[in-house]
Amino acid sequence: AQKVTQAQTEISVVEKEDVTLDCVYETRDTTYYLFWYKQPPSGELVFLIRRNSFDEQNEISGRYSWNFQKSTSSFNFTITASQVVDSAVYFCALSEAVQGAQKLVFGQGTRLTINP
Amino acid sequence: GAGVSQTPSNKVTEKGKYVELRCDPISGHTALYWYRQSLGQGPEFLIYFQGTGAADDSGLPNDRFFAVRPEGSVSTLKIQRTERGDSAVYLCASSPDIGGRSYNEQFFGPGTRLTVL
């Protein structure tokens, strides 16, 4: 069975600090996709990034960066110079492709609070 | 353009009642998903539609839950004989999925918060 573990339940940092959210996954598939979503207080899940299992290049988008390491089954997310608007719950997810479905298996989420 | 919309945004009902939750996906998206998110948890998959047919309903917890998408657009999640344990946020997502490729982004709606008293 596929599983995503986000061991950090809550993180609280002061604005402008860097923060890394951890994600560890389990799957027997050789082809899979990993995602990060942001859920602000409004509740709507906002897509941040998608990576496929064949591309281990790290990615940077502004203050956000992602580190994908197949050897440790991890897909960590770093926010550099955090801002109060980054406060949200962040979910890591794994795409399980069964009979064409793209079922997302989510971790439990990490609640990130950025204090001014 | 318009995103995924869900109605109602909040629904309070009594134990044993029947409820319907509606999802309007992004126009043209062929794939539609329902997830359930309990407090403090990540969303859990319920059912997936490709067009009008339920391609995978393995996440539905029991036979009290049923979903339809008769014209391949709007979907309704139906819960019979509601129980207090059904209280959660029900999320709908749509995707321009074609041919079962696993990499398309799912666009989520704001959810319906269901409270069963």
Side-chain angles (χ1 to χ4, degrees):
Chain A
Q2 305 202 341
K3 184 180 178 183
V4 175
T5 301
Q6 294 178 256
Q8 304 150 309
T9 305
E10 294 191 33
I11 299 176
S12 181
V13 301
V14 177
E15 199 172 19
K16 296 183 185 176
E17 286 186 18
D18 298 348
V19 58
T20 295
L21 309 182
D22 297 334
C23 172
V24 174
Y25 64 91
E26 297 174 29
T27 179
R28 290 185 209 155
D29 291 347
T30 54
T31 302
Y32 53 90
Y33 292 81
L34 294 162
F35 301 78
W36 276 94
Y37 279 85
K38 174 181 180 179
Q39 190 172 44
S42 62
E44 198 158 335
L45 281 162
V46 177
F47 168 82
L48 296 178
I49 190 171
R50 170 189 61 236
R51 302 296 284 174
N52 74 55
S53 52
F54 298 108
D55 183 1
E56 285 193 71
Q57 274 195 323
N58 292 332
E59 182 154 339
I60 299 174
S61 176
R63 297 184 296 106
Y64 295 171
S65 62
W66 291 269
N67 184 316
F68 175 28
Q69 292 195 348
K70 284 180 80 170
S71 60
T72 56
S73 297
S74 65
F75 185 45
N76 296 338
F77 172 31
T78 298
I79 301 175
T80 303
S82 60
Q83 299 177 2
V84 172
V85 294
D86 296 327
S87 296
V89 180
Y90 290 86
F91 290 96
C92 181
L94 173 67
S95 176
E96 176 183 317
V98 178
Q99 296 179 347
Q102 302 172 34
K103 298 195 287 191
L104 290 175
V105 177
F106 285 85
Q108 297 222 2
T110 297
R111 180 177 298 278
L112 177 63
T113 302
I114 310 297
N115 299 299
Chain B
V4 178
S5 63
Q6 293 185 245
T7 54
S9 55
N10 278 284
K11 175 71 177 178
V12 180
T13 190
E14 294 180 346
K15 180 174 178 293
K17 298 289 188 182
Y18 167 84
V19 296
E20 290 190 352
L21 312 178
R22 176 188 168 107
C23 171
D24 269 283
I26 293 172
S27 178
H29 280 191
T30 56
L32 185 146
Y33 301 79
W34 283 98
Y35 292 85
R36 178 168 72 174
Q37 186 175 19
S38 300
L39 191 63
Q41 304 293 318
E44 292 180 310
F45 170 81
L46 294 177
I47 187 169
Y48 156 67
F49 287 90
Q50 180 60 263
T52 60
D56 184 349
D57 63 358
S58 61
L60 295 178
N62 51 60
D63 60 7
R64 295 186 298 105
F65 288 75
F66 188 70
V68 295
R69 195 186 184 197
E71 297 177 1
S73 178
V74 170
S75 177
T76 304
L77 179 65
K78 308 180 180 191
I79 310 174
Q80 299 177 322
R81 305 182 305 279
T82 52
E83 300 177 356
R84 292 194 181 89
D86 298 335
S87 296
V89 175
Y90 288 81
L91 297 166
C92 176
S94 71
S95 169
D97 177 65
I98 301 173
R101 283 171 280 181
S102 294
Y103 54 81
N104 286 324
E105 174 188 348
Q106 292 182 27
F107 296 81
F108 282 82
T112 293
R113 182 174 299 277
L114 175 67
T115 303
V116 182
L117 302 177

